[in-house]
Amino acid sequence: MKWREVWILWMLGLTAAAAHAQQPDAPTLFATHCAACHGAQRLGGMGPALLPQSLERLRAPEALKVIREGRPASQMPGFADKLAPEQIAALGAWIYTPVVPAPRWSDDDIRASRTFDAASRTWPAKPQWAADPMNLFVVVEGGDHHVSLVDGDKLAVIHRFPSRFALHGGPKFSPEGRYVYFGSRDGWITKYDLWNLRVVAEVRAGLNMRNVAVSADGRHVMAANYLPHSLALFDADLDLVRSYAAATLDGKQSSRVSAVYDAAPRNSFVVALKDIPELWEISYDPRAEPIHDGLVHDHRLGEGIAKPGYLNVRRTPLDEPLDDFFFDGPYRHAIGTSRAGGEAQVVNLDIRRRVATVPLAGMPHLGSGITFAWNGTRVLATPNLKDGVVSVIDMNGWKPVKQVATPGPGFFMRSHENTPYAWIDSMMSPTARDTLLVIDKRTLEPVRTLRPAPGRTVAHVEFTRDGRHALVSLWENDGALIVYDAATLEEVKRIPMSKPVGKYNLGNKLARSEGTSH
């Protein structure tokens, strides 16, 4: 090799080394500026977890803005005056990369994370405020991570308090309405006393959590986790009872848990798995029938040996994994779809097999569906995340009835037994996210289009306990609850809120109103 070639290679090596040296060291930057609040493994601490799973709904430009400017009404400072733009960009990219090795969260970790206010046992057993507790709205504000309590009669805020980062899955209530349980994306469950306006207990059930469910008797709380692949069962004060690995019977394949539902008429939890073609049922009835995994008459490998039905997994095999579900009133049937869409499977939970298939185009959002009486039968109506359509299905025979065109793809559909109207948003549409469609449940025809905030996102309708008023979320940081007269469809007032992502009427939830999610 000639000296000139050697010199060129040497210079190229120096250039590459210099370029590498100029690249910001994201792990070191994180350890220096972020780990004290967010944890060395990005699992969270004073600040939320910074894992790809926890940040999947936070767009990268918004994350960079938070790093630069901080987050209002929190202890998150801005770093624009401390870090160069390329360092901020490196940190922004780093928090969206997986942690290697993958973090673990054991039963011991869960128990160690729990806090409990022992004084809560002596707090007054009645509301310390003047309003109808059954017409109370719990409003989750995503803009600055707070929760507001709204009097459904006076349509005014009673109280406002800070919440964990990124609450998800909707709050769940104890049977008498005193306690509400919140679940956050990064795995925290908070038990809050609505009557005394104070936190009772908290625990971290996992590192990335989908939702929580509360048993109909109020004795159990179950959490569904994406990370780790598990379920965690707690008592009412968030003491861990046991955890469940979300895996096949032979343990060879594990799964993220899409959601857990309380099937009140069955005294059980129903569990949706994202990666395994099974639907699980876990009974909290001490008298539950024994469970046989496999063929009862087959003695090989102990398959015919029963295990107790109480708090154990009863598996229903499916044709494919289903992670979006709706249940009929008795919770005898689950209708579910995969994200691929195209059709829905109807599964009978008693006989544990599919009994019908329903054609459903696009990507129906069954979890936000509603039921109502129509032409002597009961129908299910579901919005669609991909297409501008509401699908109406006769639940007696599971046959399609009608497709109702909407201004665009929607996420939420809501109604109430005391109103003839159903409301559907188009928040998934790039052009019609500011539009609500009102459908007459008697005719299945649109009757009104509403645009209360042109050019801005409106979504998630919820009704007062008597069905007289419909509350709509103006889904913006400087947003509001927009209150409508449910009969005249005219606006009544606006209650300022910081991105009210969801509002939940306690009476409607506990009564299992046909027009809302359960």
Side-chain angles (χ1 to χ4, degrees):
M1 183 180 294
K2 297 180 180 179
W3 70 267
R4 182 178 178 83
E5 294 172 337
V6 172
W7 180 81
I8 291 173
L9 290 174
W10 179 67
M11 290 298 294
L12 288 173
L14 285 178
T15 303
H20 179 74
Q22 292 172 4
Q23 291 294 322
D25 184 353
T28 299
L29 288 170
F30 185 89
T32 302
H33 300 285
C34 313
C37 290
H38 296 281
Q41 282 195 292
R42 304 180 358 231
L43 302 183
M46 184 187 301
L50 298 178
L51 304 171
Q53 300 92 333
S54 304
L55 299 171
E56 60 184 10
R57 291 196 175 183
L58 182 69
R59 292 185 174 91
E62 180 63 23
L64 291 174
K65 181 180 178 183
V66 172
I67 298 171
R68 284 195 307 269
E69 303 175 14
R71 187 179 290 278
S74 77
Q75 297 184 50
M76 172 68 187
F79 287 89
D81 60 342
K82 300 179 182 68
L83 300 176
E86 59 270 20
Q87 292 176 310
I88 290 175
L91 273 175
W94 174 250
I95 62 177
Y96 284 92
T97 61
V99 172
V100 179
R104 303 181 66 183
W105 196 250
S106 67
D107 287 2
D108 287 341
D109 293 319
I110 295 173
R111 292 189 174 98
S113 72
R114 178 179 179 265
T115 59
F116 175 73
D117 191 337
S120 63
R121 303 193 190 281
T122 66
W123 296 347
K126 62 180 181 179
Q128 300 301 292
W129 35 266
D132 179 359
M134 287 295 115
N135 199 21
L136 182 74
F137 283 89
V138 174
V139 185
V140 174
E141 298 182 66
D144 60 0
H145 307 290
H146 277 68
V147 172
S148 283
L149 306 181
V150 174
D151 181 337
D153 295 312
K154 295 181 179 179
L155 299 172
V157 175
I158 294 173
H159 184 62
R160 191 171 191 263
F161 58 93
S163 73
R164 287 281 178 176
F165 176 78
L167 299 186
H168 187 255
K172 302 299 188 295
F173 301 99
S174 59
E176 79 293 337
R178 175 173 178 174
Y179 302 107
V180 59
Y181 295 85
F182 300 100
S184 74
R185 279 276 186 178
D186 53 0
W188 285 97
I189 306 173
T190 302
K191 179 181 181 180
Y192 188 84
D193 187 334
L194 290 169
W195 293 357
N196 291 282
L197 306 179
R198 298 169 72 177
V199 172
V200 175
E202 286 195 308
V203 71
R204 194 172 192 182
L207 301 177
N208 183 244
M209 188 171 69
R210 299 301 293 174
N211 77 320
V212 298
V214 176
S215 62
D217 59 12
R219 295 177 57 206
H220 295 99
V221 180
M222 183 170 277
N225 289 320
Y226 258 24
L227 182 68
H229 294 178
S230 68
L231 293 157
L233 179 68
F234 302 88
D235 68 13
D237 285 331
L238 301 183
D239 256 322
L240 182 67
V241 175
R242 62 172 293 187
S243 62
Y244 303 77
T248 51
L249 189 60
D250 59 12
K252 293 181 178 179
Q253 183 181 355
S254 68
S255 175
R256 295 165 289 177
V257 183
S258 295
V260 57
Y261 312 90
D262 174 54
R266 303 175 68 86
N267 293 315
S268 66
F269 294 113
V270 177
V271 180
L273 303 174
K274 194 169 185 66
D275 309 305
I276 294 174
E278 294 180 355
L279 184 64
W280 287 9
E281 184 170 14
I282 299 174
S283 178
Y284 49 80
D285 183 350
R287 300 165 300 176
E289 295 182 357
I291 297 170
H292 294 270
D293 290 319
L295 302 174
V296 175
H297 64 270
D298 190 347
H299 64 275
R300 293 172 297 179
L301 301 179
E303 288 181 329
I305 300 174
K307 62 185 179 185
Y310 179 60
L311 299 186
N312 279 310
V313 176
R314 189 183 302 273
R315 301 166 187 262
T316 295
L318 303 171
D319 296 335
E320 61 179 332
L322 304 176
D323 62 356
D324 187 23
F325 282 89
F326 190 90
F327 297 89
D328 61 7
Y331 279 77
R332 189 181 180 208
H333 294 94
I335 176 170
T337 59
S338 67
R339 285 303 180 195
E343 65 178 24
Q345 296 183 41
V346 181
V347 179
N348 186 301
L349 294 175
D350 292 332
I351 62 175
R352 290 193 287 161
R353 65 179 177 86
R354 176 170 55 85
V355 294
T357 301
V358 183
L360 282 176
M363 191 180 291
H365 189 209
L366 291 167
S368 285
I370 63 172
T371 70
F372 52 90
W374 176 80
N375 279 7
T377 188
R378 179 151 291 271
V379 295
L380 158 66
T382 176
N384 200 296
L385 301 173
K386 183 178 178 182
D387 298 336
V389 66
V390 167
S391 298
V392 184
I393 300 161
D394 185 349
M395 299 176 75
N396 183 18
W398 303 104
K399 300 295 182 183
V401 170
K402 188 173 183 177
Q403 300 270 71
V404 182
T406 66
F411 200 90
F412 296 105
M413 187 172 188
R414 292 289 184 263
S415 187
H416 189 278
E417 46 268 35
N418 293 340
T419 176
Y421 303 124
W423 299 54
I424 173 74
D425 62 50
S426 298
M427 68 170 294
M428 307 303 290
S429 168
T431 58
R433 69 183 192 278
D434 60 356
T435 306
L436 296 163
L437 184 68
V438 182
I439 298 170
D440 191 318
K441 295 187 292 186
R442 298 161 296 190
T443 63
L444 304 184
E445 295 291 337
V447 294
R448 185 80 63 89
T449 298
L450 302 171
R451 296 181 71 229
R456 315 189 80 194
T457 302
V458 292
H460 195 272
V461 180
E462 195 77 42
F463 287 78
T464 51
R465 187 185 184 193
D466 57 11
R468 290 181 55 211
H469 292 102
L471 280 63
V472 178
S473 288
L474 176 54
W475 201 298
E476 306 284 350
N477 286 340
D478 57 343
L481 296 186
I482 306 173
V483 182
Y484 282 90
D485 185 304
T488 66
L489 307 182
E490 298 298 324
E491 183 176 329
V492 174
K493 67 180 295 186
R494 298 192 179 197
I495 308 171
M497 295 276 172
S498 180
K499 197 176 184 181
V501 294
K503 70 210 75 64
Y504 309 87
N505 182 273
L506 196 149
N508 288 339
K509 293 296 182 184
L510 293 181
R512 301 175 66 241
S513 168
E514 67 180 25
T516 189
S517 59
H518 304 144

